[in-house]
Structure formats: C-alpha cells, structure tokens
Amino acid sequence: MKRYFHNLGEKIIVALLALSGTVTSLTVLLIVFFLFKEGLGIFSLSPVSEGTVIAVNSQNPVKELSAHQLKEISDQNITNWQEVGGPNAPIKLFRIDDLTEYFSEEQLGKDFEFVPQRINEVIAKEPNMLAFFPDEYLAKSFQGRQLQLDNISVPDFLGGTEWYPTITPAVQMGVLPLILGTLWVSFGAILLALPLGLATAIYMAEIANSRVRNILKPVIELLAGIPSVVYGFFGLVVVVPLIQDIFGLPVGETALAGSIILGIMALPTIISVSEDAMRTTPRAMKEASLALGASKWQTIYKVIIPYSISGISTAAILGIGRAIGETMAVLMVTGNASVIPNTFLEPVRTIPATIAAELGEAPQGGIHYKALFALGCILFLLTLIINLTVDFVSAKKKENR
C-alpha cells in the first residue's frame, strides 16, 4: 500500500510538471501570436489618417499620391501639380478651417449643417485644389474625387526615414531611424561594457583572492537588481550634464548617454558569464603553461581567454540583448529624436522607448496602435536572433571540447 501511494504521488507530481510546462508554452505561443496578429495588421491599412478625406477636383488627372508626397505638399515643399504627375499649375491646399474664407457663418449654417454642401461647391469650382477634411463632412453627392493611398508596405515601413504616426492627412511610418537608434545605442554600450566587464572577470577569476572575490561578487550581482529607472535618474543627473559640458553640446541627452547607462547595466551579465567561463579552464592547462615558463599574464591571454572565448562571446551577446530591450533608462537620457544617427553625440530614439512613450496615447485598433505592435515584432525578432546566436555559440563551445 505504501508503495502504491508513493507511485501515485510521483505520477501526480509528473502530471503537474507536465501541465505547468504545457501552460507556460501555450502562454508564450499565445503572446507571440497576438503580437504578430496586431503588428502585421498595419500592412492592411492605408496611411491616410483615420477619419480624414483627401479629395481633388474631378477633372484633376492625378489619380494617386504617396504618403510622403502628401506630407511634402502639406509642408509646402511641393507646390506644383507637375511635380506629382499633374498639370503645370499651383497646388491650392484646402482644410476645413479655410471654409470661412469662402462662406459666411450664415451660409455654413447655425449648426454647420451646410458644411458638406459648401465643401462640395469649393472643390467643384477649384480645379487645382487638394482638400483635406473630416469624413463626417463628406457630402452624399460628392462631386470631387477621393484619392485612395496604397496600403503601407513592408519596404516603406522598414526603410522609411520619417516617424510621424499622428500627423494629418497621412501618417509617416518609417521605422529605420528607430531600428538604427536601437542598434546604435546597443553597439555603443557593448563597446564600453565588454572591455571593462572582461577585465573585471579576469581579475575576479584569476587574480583576486577569495576574500576580495567574495566581496565583489555580491556587489556586482546587486547591480543587476537595481531598477532601470534608478539608472535613468543617475544618467539624467550625472551623465547627461557631464556630456553636455565636456563636448559643449546644447543638450546632453544623446546616444552616448544611453550607451554609458546601458553599458553599466550590462556589466553584471558580462562579468558573471565571462568569469564562469574562465573558471572552467582545466587546472592542468594552466599548470602546464606555467611549467613551460609562461608568466601568469601570458597564461591568461594565451591559454585561459582562448579556451573560454565561446563563453566570453556568449556574455557579449547576452549583454547586447540586455541593452536592446531596455526601456526606461534609455527613454530618460537619449533625447527621443526619431532621426537617423550619424554620431554618438546626437539624440536618438530606440524601439522600446518609442513603444513605452506612445502606446498609452495610441487609440486601440488604430494605425498608430498597430504600428507600435509591429515595432514589438521587430524587437522580438532582434531578441530571437540574439538568443539563437547564443545557442549556436554555446553549441560550438561544446563541440570544441
């Protein structure tokens, strides 16, 4: 009987573990499915701002415009129809606020009930007009022609250089500055963190005595437990003013500030993983090197580092992953300018910071909302690539052994 209950208990534990693993796996799959379902939905939407009508005179030969052309026309960088494939005539812009230039308040109606009719009349009379107005004022017998923009494409989304998700009449959804800003800050963080982290790992693994090691180890691990917003405050109060003063910049919120903060945040991961890799070097290899006349430093850089190079590479890759996914600290110190960076002394905006800053203001289900989920998909793929690289490096390490 005792054996029966023992076996029953084991089966229940196994079943609970299997159930836990299944639930966890399904949860992860559902999260990924929902992320991509919302994110990929952006490619079925037009860049025209929600609730906006773009119209021209029915005699205008221009059949279509791109979102970028609409922005250039709205900013008056394009002023002639000939520049967009139309006749040689100036473009006359019309917005809903311009109605008072054509009609009196009485003609528009006490409750603006005649506005659709008046907009219809204006567009019908002006052959060179390009009109932007809310769709609630679109007349049932509209005499002009609405311009329909093509849906947002993958090349335009990934290769576009302008991120203006809320402008009218057409949003600009170019995520290239955000991707480059994320990679730029992460690259700078690793350039700063890897040498310092590797030097610390060498000291702790091969030089420091046990007493010093037992003091440093908890301190370094404590760095990993500090909230990112605390790092952000440190960067805002110390790093940002320091960069501004040293380089004589108008503002200190730059990619360099983000790289320094992320470098500090990545240090615990790099140090811990690198130290563990170095401490796995067989004692016989070290003693053989010393017996052949090599100094302690020669043994470190000719025996220990080459042997543990896969673990050090893994530490660097995990550090990059830590930097890429960081949100609050980067949001506070990088300036949040969605422009393609040329130097580390310019403000940048990263993907996580963009999602954190804008998701609360994006209407659920709208184009801005789906664009932010698409950014989440890009971030997920970047992280997935990093994790696969870690697995590949680790597998190579095992093969070499």
Side-chain angles (χ1 to χ4, degrees):
M1 181 64 69
K2 185 177 180 180
R3 183 177 180 82
Y4 169 77
F5 282 110
H6 179 74
N7 292 336
L8 180 62
E10 286 185 350
K11 289 180 180 179
I12 292 174
I13 292 173
V14 170
L16 289 175
L17 292 175
L19 179 63
S20 176
T22 303
V23 170
T24 302
S25 300
L26 288 176
T27 302
V28 172
L29 289 175
L30 286 174
I31 291 173
V32 174
F33 172 77
F34 175 74
L35 175 67
F36 278 86
K37 177 178 176 294
E38 291 292 331
L40 295 178
I42 189 175
F43 301 116
S44 62
L45 298 176
S46 168
V48 177
S49 301
E50 190 173 355
T52 301
V53 173
I54 302 172
V56 295
N57 186 281
S58 58
Q59 303 301 317
N60 195 316
V62 175
K63 303 296 182 184
E64 61 181 18
L65 293 171
S66 67
H68 178 70
Q69 287 174 328
L70 277 176
K71 177 180 177 297
E72 292 295 293
I73 292 173
S74 181
D75 293 342
Q76 296 188 346
N77 294 323
I78 295 178
T79 58
N80 194 293
W81 283 109
Q82 195 173 33
E83 298 178 63
V84 292
N88 184 13
I91 298 174
K92 190 169 186 178
L93 289 177
F94 172 84
R95 295 180 175 84
I96 189 69
D97 296 337
D98 299 331
L99 265 180
T100 54
E101 298 178 9
Y102 296 88
F103 303 100
S104 64
E105 293 184 5
E106 291 77 11
Q107 290 175 308
L108 296 178
K110 182 179 179 181
D111 297 320
F112 302 104
E113 64 272 18
F114 302 131
V115 168
Q117 178 184 344
R118 300 307 179 215
I119 292 176
N120 202 3
E121 293 174 5
V122 171
I123 295 176
K125 291 178 182 178
E126 296 285 351
N128 299 321
M129 179 169 285
L130 177 63
F132 313 134
F133 58 91
D135 57 4
E136 60 184 293
Y137 296 127
L138 181 64
K140 294 182 179 178
S141 56
F142 185 62
Q143 297 178 10
R145 187 177 74 252
Q146 293 187 58
L147 292 181
Q148 302 296 333
L149 274 66
D150 293 334
N151 291 344
I152 296 173
S153 65
V154 175
D156 289 340
F157 185 72
L158 296 178
T161 59
E162 294 180 313
W163 175 260
Y164 300 112
T166 58
I167 65 169
T168 57
V171 298
Q172 305 295 307
M173 293 292 185
V175 301
L176 185 60
L178 307 182
I179 295 174
L180 292 179
T182 302
L183 297 177
W184 195 242
V185 172
S186 301
F187 176 70
I190 293 304
L191 283 182
L192 296 172
L194 188 57
L196 183 58
L198 184 57
T200 306
I202 291 172
Y203 175 76
M204 291 179 61
E206 299 298 328
I207 299 172
N209 57 43
S210 58
R211 183 179 178 182
V212 174
R213 187 182 301 116
N214 291 336
I215 295 174
L216 286 178
K217 190 77 172 175
V219 172
I220 291 171
E221 291 175 352
L222 182 64
L223 287 175
I226 298 176
S228 60
V229 69
V230 175
Y231 283 106
F233 278 125
F234 170 76
L236 204 58
V237 173
V238 178
V239 178
V240 167
L242 192 63
I243 291 175
Q244 184 176 2
D245 292 340
I246 290 175
F247 296 100
L249 302 174
V251 292
E253 289 89 351
T254 59
L256 180 59
S259 295
I260 292 173
I261 296 301
L262 287 184
I264 295 172
M265 297 176 72
L267 277 176
T269 301
I270 295 174
I271 293 171
S272 298
V273 177
S274 298
E275 185 202 1
D276 291 341
M278 291 177 188
R279 293 177 76 85
T280 60
T281 306
R283 186 179 182 86
M285 291 181 65
K286 301 178 188 177
E287 292 176 347
S289 175
L290 295 171
L292 291 172
S295 66
K296 191 169 187 177
W297 288 108
Q298 288 173 325
T299 301
I300 288 173
Y301 73 81
K302 289 192 175 181
V303 176
I304 297 174
I305 291 179
Y307 181 84
S308 55
I309 191 65
S310 296
I312 295 171
S313 302
T314 301
I317 295 169
L318 289 174
I320 294 173
R322 176 78 170 89
I324 284 180
E326 182 51 47
T327 303
M328 281 307 301
V330 178
L331 180 64
M332 296 171 71
V333 301
T334 55
N336 297 309
S338 54
V339 294
I340 295 177
N342 295 312
T343 72
F344 280 102
L345 299 178
E346 294 178 347
V348 296
R349 173 177 279 199
T350 64
I351 291 176
T354 302
I355 296 173
E358 299 181 7
L359 188 58
E361 301 174 357
Q364 186 170 0
I367 187 170
H368 188 191
Y369 181 84
K370 292 185 180 295
L372 294 176
F373 271 86
L375 286 177
C377 295
I378 295 172
L379 192 62
F380 171 81
L381 292 176
L382 288 175
T383 307
L384 179 63
I385 291 171
I386 290 171
N387 290 337
L388 292 176
T389 305
V390 170
D391 291 340
F392 176 77
V393 172
S394 300
K396 282 290 185 181
K397 181 180 179 181
K398 292 179 181 178
E399 289 177 7
N400 293 336
R401 289 186 181 179

